[in-house]
Each structure stands twice: as C-alpha cells, then as structure tokens.
Amino acid sequence: MARKHNRKHRQPEAVIIGMMGAGKTRLGKEMAQMRSLPFRDADVEIEHEIGMSIPEYFAEYGEPAFREVESQVVCRTLDSFAGVFSLGGGAPMTKSIRKRLERYVRDGGKVVYLKADPHEAMERASRGGGRPMLDGDAQQRWMSLFKQRDPVYRAVANVTVQTKGMTPRAAAKRMVEMVSEHIVHIDGKGIEPYDVRIGEGTLGHLPEILGSKPVRVALIHTTSVQRHSDRARGILRQSGYQVFDIVIPDAEAGKTIQVANGIWERLGNEGFTRSDAIVGLGGGACTDLAGFVAATWMRGIRYVNCPTSLLAMVDASTGGKTGINTPQGKNLVGSFYTPAGVLADLRTLTTLPNDIFIEGLGEVAKSGFIRDPHILDILEDHASELRSFDGVQFLGSPLEDVVSELIERTVRVKAYHVSADLKEAGLREFLNYGHTFGHAIEQLEHFRWRHGNAVAVGMVYAAELSNLTGHLDRQTVDYMRGLLDELGLPTSWHGADFDAVLELIHRDKKARGNTLRFVGLERVGEPFHLDDPDPQAVEEAFNRVAQ
C-alpha cells in the first residue's frame, strides 16, 4: 500500500542541504537514480535563470542580488518539482528560503543535512573552484562559514546523514533509507519533545539522539535479539561511546525488581553518571524495564528505546510509561519518564516469529477501535497477508509499506492521547481499552499469554460489557470479533473462574477504591469511561468471552 499524502501541490521527495564540498550534487543524483526520480541542482537552475555563471553574477551584481534570485528559484521549485532537489550551501541562511523549508517539512517533506567530514569537504570545495564564497584563504573561509551555517542546517533539517568513511553509493543508500522513514513527533505538557522514527536502518540515528554528552552507554537487551544488539553496539562504538552489554531475560521474566536491581548494581560498578545513557533494545518488556532503570538511576538519565517487535513499536516504546511487575499485578511499580527518541527499525522484524508479530496486531486494532477507523480498513484489506507474516520475506515486499503505515498510524493515536495527558489523568486512559480484563488474563496465566493476545480478548470483553450496558450495538461487537479472528488473534478465554478475574480487576490501576472502572466503547472511534457498571453485566460479559 502506497503511503498517502494530502498535498495540494507537488513537492520534492527530498531537499538536500549542506556545506560546499559535502557532495550534495553527486549524492543527490545517486539517490535520485536509486529512487527512479528526476534530480535538480539549485545552482544549475539559477544559472539558467540568470544566463551566466554564478561567479560572474556575484562579480557583477553582488551577493544580495544573487540571494534574491536564489530565493525565487528555490521557492518556485519547492512548489512544483517532485524529485530530489539540492540547494547551494548558503541557501538556508536566507530567511525566505528558511521559512519555505519549514513549511515544506510541516507538509511532510524531508530536508536532508548532508554532513561530511570537514577535511574531506574543504578539500573537495577548494579543489572544485568557482566558489565566490571561498575567495581568499579557502580553508579558513570554509571553517568560518561552517560555524555560522551548521546551527541553521541542524535547525532546518529533519534528517541528518553523516558520510564520513562511506562510499558515495553507501551514503546515497543511507539517504534513501532515512528519507523513507516515517516520523511521528511527540510533545505536550510535561513532555520533552522527541521523535518516533519508523523505517529500515533507523538504528543509525542512535549517536544523533544520544548526543555528545554521554561517555558510557548501557545497552540493555535480551538474548533473542542478539543480531540486532550486535548492530547497535557496532554503531555506538564506531561513534566513540563505551558500551556496556546488559542481557536480561526474555518477556515478562525480565520485568522484575530483581532484574532491575542487578542493572543498578552494574551501573554503579561501572561508574555511570547523570550524563551517561541507556539504550533499551528488545520487546515491550525490555523497553519498559530499560525506561524504568533510566528513570530511577540518579533520578533520571537519558535513554533511547529501540523496539524490536511490532507490539513494542506500537505500544510499549512510546508514551513514557516505564515499569516492572510485582507478584500482586502487572506494571504496579513504575514511573512516567519519556525517552529521548524511539527508533523502530523495520529490519528487526525480519527475525520476529509469526505468532509474536500477530500478537502485536492486537494493540494496532485497539488503536483503530478507539481513534482511527482507517487502521481497521487496512487490517481488513490485508488480514490474510498479515496473518501469514514471514520475517524472511518481509523487507522489500508490499507488506512492508502496509506495516509501516499501521505502525505510524498507531503511534499517532498514542501520541494524540499522550500529548494531552502524559500521566493518565483522563484522556490517556482510553489507551487502556481491553487492558483491564487483558491484564487479569496475563496474571492468571502467569504471563504465558502474550500481552497482545490478552488485550484482544480484553477488547471483546469490554465490547460485550458496553453492549450489555446499552452503549454499543451488537453489530459492532460481532465486527470486532470477526476482524480479530481474521487476524489470527484470540477472542475467548476460559482459564479461570469469574471470582478470580474479579479480584484482579479490583486491583487494576484504573480502579478507584472499591469502584470498578473500565474503558468502554460507544461506537468505533468513541471510547468512554464505564464506571461502576451493573455487577450482573460484568459477570455476563465474562460468560460471553469464556464460551
């Protein structure tokens, strides 16, 4: 499925900015060829416009006149050209161009800051000649311009590609991967803004998000994602960080106070300070734990989530909920602590077993039912392919675009609720649709049931309860059951009696005193708080899912 854009005009797939000698033209052409797109160079377009070379125009009319022409050409091209567009080094310094690029980014465009090694770029720029901005001592002039321009480039761009040590083809391939990423920006009251990046190769953003302050990085991961943790470790070490591997048990067995305490001891022994950082790489349980450790070590250090399962990409890694389980219940100990960034690298799904992929569809469907009905349309249209997911065949297949869009849309649903209500005082509770009953299943099954599967049954329970209390029509309940079944998700459970379930529901985080609270559904896209429902309806809904 092609990604949908609501644009009133054509615009470039990518705009490349950077210093003189960064390779914008060469790599832009290479990228355009890889994508089967046209390429334009702003300097070439300007020379066609003015009928002479840029150095000649500079000499005759001066820089202000040149910048005026440049602004006209660049803005016109941004409004009409659907390819790869490379700008001159000084273009983003012009206010009118900068404002137009900001609008381009808001419309979904990608401004790529091509950040070459300064020595390599200076040498290429000096060797090329014909650059009036480098008149005089070229190297000194280049460095002076770099100091002025680098902060502006970083502010304007939403993609940064560092090319040091890369061949032109490898650098162009990296640009293609990064431009193809889906980016969901998350901010709101009490949230330090961060991005969720979805695409192939997003792990490459780790150094960019961690920044230059951390010296030590704790890479917390499970053994099942060894291949991906090896890649993350290599990226971190190549960027100069000291990396400390911390391996934890898979799934919910890793979310305990004993595991957290072992990590705290390790951080203390290795001398981790407040300026160091944590990277959590794995499924939802791993990212929950890594975030909890980051939130509590020295009252909070920087951390990045790198989810490796569909469930973690759409749920646990985003939103700032961190926590561990106790014998009394799931996630009863935790904190709200937002990551510096989330990197949902689609390459990690290639090693995901079919059943673990499918359980992630439970949380995806939930987001469709509470907020974005188009998610349900996509699930319906592609239920067969999704149910037959094969990681080996995933990358490059039509299903990759489908899954990318599902992840992005689901993350946007979560971002909507989290941005308005970080600490779950009201609106954010709607994200718990299906979770009250689902958490009880997980607890009673001693976490042998995976979270997404438990939530699927929990959604059916909540729908049945909404129907029994007169809020939801029968047709929608049956539609939900049918869709979840088509996706390969469970819709019934009979692993314990009602009294055991009721006891756990009373301990749910949404409960207030002895009052039961559920998230119900009025209709698709309209959840509501269902407080203190009729006890007979609560039990009858259980009977309906236990059949």
Side-chain angles (χ1 to χ4, degrees), residues 25-74:
T25 299
R26 179 176 180 180
L27 295 184
K29 286 180 177 177
E30 188 94 39
M31 178 187 181
Q33 186 176 26
M34 289 179 177
R35 296 285 292 158
S36 299
L37 292 168
F39 172 78
R40 287 187 188 175
D41 184 301
D43 286 349
V44 173
E45 299 299 310
I46 291 166
E47 289 185 339
H48 287 161
E49 181 91 2
I50 60 181
M52 63 177 73
S53 71
I54 289 174
E56 290 172 338
Y57 194 88
F58 252 79
E60 186 167 343
Y61 299 104
E63 184 179 355
F66 169 77
R67 296 301 177 194
E68 179 65 30
V69 174
E70 181 181 49
S71 177
Q72 293 171 7
V73 171
V74 168

Short mmCIF file of all heavy atoms in Angstrom, two decimals, residues 25-74:
data_model
loop_
_atom_site.label_atom_id
_atom_site.label_comp_id
_atom_site.label_asym_id
_atom_site.label_seq_id
_atom_site.Cartn_x
_atom_site.Cartn_y
_atom_site.Cartn_z
N THR A 25 25.46 17.41 -4.79
CA THR A 25 25.07 17.13 -6.18
C THR A 25 25.30 15.67 -6.54
O THR A 25 24.41 14.99 -7.07
CB THR A 25 25.84 18.04 -7.15
OG1 THR A 25 25.53 19.41 -6.85
CG2 THR A 25 25.46 17.74 -8.59
N ARG A 26 26.49 15.17 -6.22
CA ARG A 26 26.81 13.78 -6.59
C ARG A 26 25.89 12.80 -5.88
O ARG A 26 25.32 11.89 -6.50
CB ARG A 26 28.27 13.48 -6.26
CG ARG A 26 28.64 12.04 -6.61
CD ARG A 26 30.10 11.75 -6.38
NE ARG A 26 30.42 10.37 -6.73
CZ ARG A 26 31.63 9.85 -6.62
NH1 ARG A 26 32.65 10.59 -6.22
NH2 ARG A 26 31.85 8.58 -6.95
N LEU A 27 25.74 12.97 -4.57
CA LEU A 27 24.91 12.03 -3.82
C LEU A 27 23.42 12.22 -4.14
O LEU A 27 22.65 11.26 -4.12
CB LEU A 27 25.15 12.19 -2.32
CG LEU A 27 26.56 11.83 -1.84
CD1 LEU A 27 26.65 11.94 -0.32
CD2 LEU A 27 26.96 10.45 -2.29
N GLY A 28 23.04 13.47 -4.44
CA GLY A 28 21.66 13.71 -4.83
C GLY A 28 21.30 13.00 -6.12
O GLY A 28 20.22 12.41 -6.24
N LYS A 29 22.22 13.04 -7.08
CA LYS A 29 22.00 12.34 -8.35
C LYS A 29 21.92 10.82 -8.12
O LYS A 29 21.07 10.14 -8.69
CB LYS A 29 23.13 12.66 -9.33
CG LYS A 29 23.07 14.05 -9.93
CD LYS A 29 24.23 14.29 -10.88
CE LYS A 29 24.15 15.66 -11.53
NZ LYS A 29 25.32 15.91 -12.42
N GLU A 30 22.80 10.32 -7.28
CA GLU A 30 22.83 8.88 -6.98
C GLU A 30 21.52 8.46 -6.29
O GLU A 30 20.91 7.44 -6.63
CB GLU A 30 24.01 8.56 -6.07
CG GLU A 30 24.26 7.10 -5.84
CD GLU A 30 25.27 6.51 -6.80
OE1 GLU A 30 26.26 7.18 -7.12
OE2 GLU A 30 25.05 5.36 -7.22
N MET A 31 21.08 9.27 -5.35
CA MET A 31 19.84 8.98 -4.65
C MET A 31 18.65 9.00 -5.61
O MET A 31 17.78 8.13 -5.57
CB MET A 31 19.64 10.00 -3.53
CG MET A 31 18.34 9.83 -2.77
SD MET A 31 18.10 11.21 -1.62
CE MET A 31 16.55 10.72 -0.86
N ALA A 32 18.60 10.01 -6.47
CA ALA A 32 17.50 10.13 -7.42
C ALA A 32 17.46 8.93 -8.36
O ALA A 32 16.39 8.40 -8.67
CB ALA A 32 17.65 11.42 -8.22
N GLN A 33 18.64 8.46 -8.76
CA GLN A 33 18.70 7.30 -9.66
C GLN A 33 18.17 6.05 -8.95
O GLN A 33 17.43 5.26 -9.53
CB GLN A 33 20.14 7.08 -10.12
CG GLN A 33 20.29 5.98 -11.15
CD GLN A 33 21.73 5.86 -11.65
OE1 GLN A 33 22.67 6.21 -10.96
NE2 GLN A 33 21.90 5.35 -12.85
N MET A 34 18.55 5.88 -7.67
CA MET A 34 18.07 4.74 -6.90
C MET A 34 16.54 4.75 -6.77
O MET A 34 15.91 3.71 -6.73
CB MET A 34 18.69 4.74 -5.50
CG MET A 34 20.15 4.40 -5.46
SD MET A 34 20.80 4.47 -3.75
CE MET A 34 22.49 3.95 -4.01
N ARG A 35 15.98 5.94 -6.70
CA ARG A 35 14.53 6.07 -6.49
C ARG A 35 13.77 6.27 -7.80
O ARG A 35 12.56 6.46 -7.79
CB ARG A 35 14.25 7.26 -5.56
CG ARG A 35 14.81 7.10 -4.15
CD ARG A 35 13.98 6.15 -3.36
NE ARG A 35 12.65 6.70 -3.09
CZ ARG A 35 11.58 5.99 -2.80
NH1 ARG A 35 11.67 4.67 -2.76
NH2 ARG A 35 10.42 6.56 -2.56
N SER A 36 14.52 6.26 -8.94
CA SER A 36 13.92 6.49 -10.26
C SER A 36 13.17 7.83 -10.29
O SER A 36 12.03 7.93 -10.76
CB SER A 36 12.96 5.34 -10.63
OG SER A 36 13.66 4.12 -10.69
N LEU A 37 13.84 8.87 -9.79
CA LEU A 37 13.27 10.21 -9.72
C LEU A 37 14.15 11.20 -10.47
O LEU A 37 15.36 10.98 -10.62
CB LEU A 37 13.15 10.66 -8.26
CG LEU A 37 12.14 9.93 -7.37
CD1 LEU A 37 12.36 10.31 -5.91
CD2 LEU A 37 10.72 10.27 -7.79
N PRO A 38 13.59 12.32 -10.90
CA PRO A 38 14.43 13.37 -11.50
C PRO A 38 15.24 14.09 -10.43
O PRO A 38 14.89 14.06 -9.25
CB PRO A 38 13.40 14.30 -12.15
CG PRO A 38 12.14 14.09 -11.36
CD PRO A 38 12.15 12.65 -10.93
N PHE A 39 16.30 14.74 -10.87
CA PHE A 39 17.17 15.47 -9.95
C PHE A 39 17.36 16.89 -10.46
O PHE A 39 17.49 17.12 -11.67
CB PHE A 39 18.54 14.79 -9.83
CG PHE A 39 19.54 15.59 -9.05
CD1 PHE A 39 19.50 15.64 -7.67
CD2 PHE A 39 20.52 16.35 -9.71
CE1 PHE A 39 20.40 16.40 -6.94
CE2 PHE A 39 21.43 17.10 -9.00
CZ PHE A 39 21.37 17.13 -7.61
N ARG A 40 17.37 17.84 -9.55
CA ARG A 40 17.69 19.23 -9.90
C ARG A 40 18.67 19.80 -8.89
O ARG A 40 18.57 19.53 -7.69
CB ARG A 40 16.43 20.10 -9.93
CG ARG A 40 15.54 19.86 -11.14
CD ARG A 40 14.41 20.87 -11.19
NE ARG A 40 13.45 20.53 -12.23
CZ ARG A 40 12.31 21.18 -12.44
NH1 ARG A 40 12.00 22.22 -11.67
NH2 ARG A 40 11.50 20.81 -13.40
N ASP A 41 19.59 20.60 -9.42
CA ASP A 41 20.57 21.31 -8.60
C ASP A 41 20.21 22.78 -8.65
O ASP A 41 20.10 23.36 -9.73
CB ASP A 41 21.97 21.07 -9.16
CG ASP A 41 23.06 21.70 -8.30
OD1 ASP A 41 23.01 22.93 -8.12
OD2 ASP A 41 23.94 20.97 -7.84
N ALA A 42 20.03 23.40 -7.48
CA ALA A 42 19.59 24.80 -7.44
C ALA A 42 20.57 25.72 -8.17
O ALA A 42 20.14 26.64 -8.87
CB ALA A 42 19.45 25.24 -5.98
N ASP A 43 21.86 25.47 -8.05
CA ASP A 43 22.83 26.34 -8.71
C ASP A 43 22.70 26.28 -10.23
O ASP A 43 22.81 27.30 -10.93
CB ASP A 43 24.25 25.97 -8.30
CG ASP A 43 24.57 26.41 -6.87
OD1 ASP A 43 23.78 27.18 -6.30
OD2 ASP A 43 25.61 25.98 -6.33
N VAL A 44 22.45 25.07 -10.75
CA VAL A 44 22.25 24.92 -12.20
C VAL A 44 20.99 25.66 -12.63
O VAL A 44 20.96 26.35 -13.67
CB VAL A 44 22.17 23.43 -12.59
CG1 VAL A 44 21.79 23.27 -14.06
CG2 VAL A 44 23.49 22.73 -12.30
N GLU A 45 19.92 25.52 -11.85
CA GLU A 45 18.66 26.20 -12.17
C GLU A 45 18.84 27.72 -12.13
O GLU A 45 18.27 28.44 -12.97
CB GLU A 45 17.57 25.79 -11.17
CG GLU A 45 17.23 24.31 -11.15
CD GLU A 45 16.70 23.83 -12.49
OE1 GLU A 45 15.78 24.49 -13.03
OE2 GLU A 45 17.21 22.82 -13.01
N ILE A 46 19.63 28.20 -11.19
CA ILE A 46 19.87 29.65 -11.08
C ILE A 46 20.65 30.15 -12.30
O ILE A 46 20.34 31.21 -12.86
CB ILE A 46 20.63 29.97 -9.77
CG1 ILE A 46 19.72 29.72 -8.57
CG2 ILE A 46 21.13 31.42 -9.77
CD1 ILE A 46 20.43 29.69 -7.24
N GLU A 47 21.65 29.40 -12.72
CA GLU A 47 22.43 29.82 -13.89
C GLU A 47 21.57 29.87 -15.15
O GLU A 47 21.77 30.74 -16.01
CB GLU A 47 23.64 28.90 -14.07
CG GLU A 47 24.69 29.11 -12.98
CD GLU A 47 25.96 28.31 -13.19
OE1 GLU A 47 25.93 27.30 -13.92
OE2 GLU A 47 27.00 28.71 -12.62
N HIS A 48 20.63 28.95 -15.28
CA HIS A 48 19.69 29.02 -16.39
C HIS A 48 18.85 30.28 -16.29
O HIS A 48 18.55 30.93 -17.31
CB HIS A 48 18.76 27.79 -16.39
CG HIS A 48 19.44 26.53 -16.82
ND1 HIS A 48 18.94 25.28 -16.54
CD2 HIS A 48 20.59 26.33 -17.52
CE1 HIS A 48 19.75 24.37 -17.04
NE2 HIS A 48 20.76 24.98 -17.63
N GLU A 49 18.47 30.65 -15.08
CA GLU A 49 17.63 31.82 -14.85
C GLU A 49 18.36 33.11 -15.19
O GLU A 49 17.80 34.02 -15.82
CB GLU A 49 17.18 31.83 -13.38
CG GLU A 49 16.28 32.97 -13.00
CD GLU A 49 14.80 32.64 -13.18
OE1 GLU A 49 14.47 31.50 -13.57
OE2 GLU A 49 13.97 33.53 -12.93
N ILE A 50 19.64 33.22 -14.76
CA ILE A 50 20.36 34.50 -14.91
C ILE A 50 21.16 34.57 -16.21
O ILE A 50 21.63 35.65 -16.58
CB ILE A 50 21.29 34.73 -13.71
CG1 ILE A 50 22.33 33.61 -13.58
CG2 ILE A 50 20.46 34.86 -12.41
CD1 ILE A 50 23.27 33.75 -12.38
N GLY A 51 21.33 33.45 -16.88
CA GLY A 51 22.02 33.45 -18.17
C GLY A 51 23.52 33.66 -18.07
O GLY A 51 24.16 34.09 -19.05
N MET A 52 24.10 33.37 -16.95
CA MET A 52 25.56 33.46 -16.77
C MET A 52 25.96 32.57 -15.60
O MET A 52 25.09 32.04 -14.90
CB MET A 52 25.99 34.92 -16.53
CG MET A 52 25.43 35.53 -15.25
SD MET A 52 26.03 37.22 -14.95
CE MET A 52 25.11 38.14 -16.17
N SER A 53 27.25 32.43 -15.38
CA SER A 53 27.70 31.62 -14.26
C SER A 53 27.49 32.37 -12.95
O SER A 53 27.41 33.61 -12.93
CB SER A 53 29.18 31.27 -14.41
OG SER A 53 29.99 32.41 -14.20
N ILE A 54 27.40 31.64 -11.87
CA ILE A 54 27.20 32.27 -10.56
C ILE A 54 28.39 33.17 -10.18
O ILE A 54 28.17 34.30 -9.70
CB ILE A 54 26.92 31.20 -9.49
CG1 ILE A 54 25.52 30.60 -9.71
CG2 ILE A 54 27.03 31.78 -8.07
CD1 ILE A 54 25.16 29.44 -8.81
N PRO A 55 29.65 32.73 -10.38
CA PRO A 55 30.76 33.64 -10.08
C PRO A 55 30.67 34.95 -10.86
O PRO A 55 30.97 36.03 -10.31
CB PRO A 55 32.00 32.83 -10.47
CG PRO A 55 31.58 31.41 -10.31
CD PRO A 55 30.15 31.39 -10.73
N GLU A 56 30.26 34.88 -12.13
CA GLU A 56 30.11 36.11 -12.92
C GLU A 56 29.02 37.00 -12.35
O GLU A 56 29.18 38.23 -12.25
CB GLU A 56 29.78 35.75 -14.38
CG GLU A 56 30.93 35.12 -15.15
CD GLU A 56 30.52 34.60 -16.51
OE1 GLU A 56 29.31 34.34 -16.73
OE2 GLU A 56 31.41 34.44 -17.37
N TYR A 57 27.92 36.39 -11.96
CA TYR A 57 26.81 37.17 -11.41
C TYR A 57 27.22 37.83 -10.09
O TYR A 57 26.89 38.99 -9.82
CB TYR A 57 25.60 36.26 -11.19
CG TYR A 57 24.31 37.01 -10.96
CD1 TYR A 57 23.51 37.41 -12.03
CD2 TYR A 57 23.89 37.34 -9.67
CE1 TYR A 57 22.32 38.11 -11.82
CE2 TYR A 57 22.72 38.03 -9.44
CZ TYR A 57 21.93 38.41 -10.53
OH TYR A 57 20.76 39.11 -10.31
N PHE A 58 27.93 37.07 -9.24
CA PHE A 58 28.45 37.61 -7.98
C PHE A 58 29.30 38.84 -8.25
O PHE A 58 29.17 39.88 -7.60
CB PHE A 58 29.28 36.55 -7.26
CG PHE A 58 28.62 35.98 -6.03
CD1 PHE A 58 27.64 35.01 -6.14
CD2 PHE A 58 28.99 36.41 -4.77
CE1 PHE A 58 27.04 34.46 -5.02
CE2 PHE A 58 28.40 35.87 -3.63
CZ PHE A 58 27.42 34.89 -3.76
N ALA A 59 30.22 38.71 -9.21
CA ALA A 59 31.18 39.78 -9.51
C ALA A 59 30.46 41.03 -10.02
O ALA A 59 30.85 42.17 -9.70
CB ALA A 59 32.20 39.31 -10.53
N GLU A 60 29.40 40.84 -10.82
CA GLU A 60 28.74 41.98 -11.44
C GLU A 60 27.67 42.61 -10.56
O GLU A 60 27.53 43.84 -10.52
CB GLU A 60 28.11 41.56 -12.77
CG GLU A 60 27.54 42.72 -13.57
CD GLU A 60 27.22 42.36 -15.01
OE1 GLU A 60 27.72 41.32 -15.48
OE2 GLU A 60 26.48 43.12 -15.64
N TYR A 61 26.90 41.77 -9.82
CA TYR A 61 25.74 42.30 -9.08
C TYR A 61 25.84 42.18 -7.56
O TYR A 61 25.07 42.80 -6.84
CB TYR A 61 24.46 41.59 -9.54
CG TYR A 61 24.17 41.79 -11.01
CD1 TYR A 61 24.43 40.78 -11.93
CD2 TYR A 61 23.65 43.00 -11.48
CE1 TYR A 61 24.17 40.95 -13.28
CE2 TYR A 61 23.39 43.18 -12.83
CZ TYR A 61 23.64 42.16 -13.74
OH TYR A 61 23.39 42.34 -15.07
N GLY A 62 26.77 41.35 -7.06
CA GLY A 62 26.94 41.20 -5.63
C GLY A 62 26.08 40.10 -5.02
O GLY A 62 25.13 39.60 -5.63
N GLU A 63 26.40 39.75 -3.77
CA GLU A 63 25.70 38.64 -3.11
C GLU A 63 24.22 38.92 -2.83
O GLU A 63 23.39 38.04 -3.03
CB GLU A 63 26.41 38.26 -1.80
CG GLU A 63 25.77 37.04 -1.14
CD GLU A 63 26.45 36.62 0.15
OE1 GLU A 63 27.49 37.21 0.51
OE2 GLU A 63 25.93 35.69 0.80
N PRO A 64 23.83 40.13 -2.36
CA PRO A 64 22.40 40.35 -2.07
C PRO A 64 21.50 40.09 -3.29
O PRO A 64 20.43 39.48 -3.15
CB PRO A 64 22.34 41.82 -1.64
CG PRO A 64 23.70 42.09 -1.08
CD PRO A 64 24.64 41.29 -1.94
N ALA A 65 21.94 40.54 -4.47
CA ALA A 65 21.14 40.31 -5.68
C ALA A 65 21.06 38.81 -5.99
O ALA A 65 20.01 38.29 -6.39
CB ALA A 65 21.74 41.06 -6.86
N PHE A 66 22.19 38.12 -5.78
CA PHE A 66 22.20 36.68 -6.02
C PHE A 66 21.23 35.97 -5.08
O PHE A 66 20.48 35.08 -5.51
CB PHE A 66 23.62 36.11 -5.85
CG PHE A 66 23.64 34.61 -5.83
CD1 PHE A 66 23.52 33.87 -7.00
CD2 PHE A 66 23.75 33.91 -4.62
CE1 PHE A 66 23.51 32.48 -6.97
CE2 PHE A 66 23.74 32.53 -4.59
CZ PHE A 66 23.62 31.81 -5.77
N ARG A 67 21.23 36.34 -3.82
CA ARG A 67 20.37 35.67 -2.84
C ARG A 67 18.89 35.89 -3.18
O ARG A 67 18.05 35.02 -2.93
CB ARG A 67 20.67 36.16 -1.42
CG ARG A 67 22.06 35.81 -0.92
CD ARG A 67 22.32 34.32 -0.92
NE ARG A 67 23.69 33.99 -0.49
CZ ARG A 67 24.27 32.81 -0.65
NH1 ARG A 67 23.60 31.82 -1.25
NH2 ARG A 67 25.50 32.61 -0.24
N GLU A 68 18.56 37.04 -3.74
CA GLU A 68 17.18 37.31 -4.13
C GLU A 68 16.75 36.37 -5.26
O GLU A 68 15.66 35.78 -5.21
CB GLU A 68 17.05 38.78 -4.58
CG GLU A 68 15.66 39.16 -5.04
CD GLU A 68 14.62 39.10 -3.92
OE1 GLU A 68 15.00 39.31 -2.75
OE2 GLU A 68 13.44 38.80 -4.23
N VAL A 69 17.61 36.23 -6.26
CA VAL A 69 17.31 35.31 -7.37
C VAL A 69 17.23 33.88 -6.85
O VAL A 69 16.34 33.10 -7.21
CB VAL A 69 18.37 35.41 -8.48
CG1 VAL A 69 18.13 34.36 -9.56
CG2 VAL A 69 18.38 36.80 -9.08
N GLU A 70 18.18 33.51 -5.99
CA GLU A 70 18.22 32.16 -5.43
C GLU A 70 16.92 31.85 -4.70
O GLU A 70 16.34 30.76 -4.85
CB GLU A 70 19.41 32.04 -4.47
CG GLU A 70 19.55 30.66 -3.84
CD GLU A 70 20.73 30.59 -2.88
OE1 GLU A 70 20.85 31.49 -2.02
OE2 GLU A 70 21.54 29.65 -3.00
N SER A 71 16.43 32.81 -3.92
CA SER A 71 15.20 32.59 -3.17
C SER A 71 14.02 32.34 -4.12
O SER A 71 13.20 31.44 -3.88
CB SER A 71 14.91 33.80 -2.28
OG SER A 71 13.69 33.64 -1.61
N GLN A 72 13.94 33.12 -5.17
CA GLN A 72 12.84 32.94 -6.13
C GLN A 72 12.88 31.56 -6.77
O GLN A 72 11.86 30.87 -6.87
CB GLN A 72 12.92 34.03 -7.20
CG GLN A 72 12.66 35.43 -6.69
CD GLN A 72 12.96 36.49 -7.74
OE1 GLN A 72 13.24 36.18 -8.90
NE2 GLN A 72 12.90 37.76 -7.34
N VAL A 73 14.09 31.14 -7.21
CA VAL A 73 14.23 29.85 -7.88
C VAL A 73 13.94 28.70 -6.92
O VAL A 73 13.21 27.76 -7.26
CB VAL A 73 15.65 29.71 -8.48
CG1 VAL A 73 15.89 28.28 -8.98
CG2 VAL A 73 15.84 30.71 -9.61
N VAL A 74 14.48 28.77 -5.71
CA VAL A 74 14.29 27.69 -4.75
C VAL A 74 12.82 27.55 -4.36
O VAL A 74 12.26 26.45 -4.37
CB VAL A 74 15.17 27.92 -3.49
CG1 VAL A 74 14.76 26.96 -2.37
CG2 VAL A 74 16.65 27.73 -3.83
#
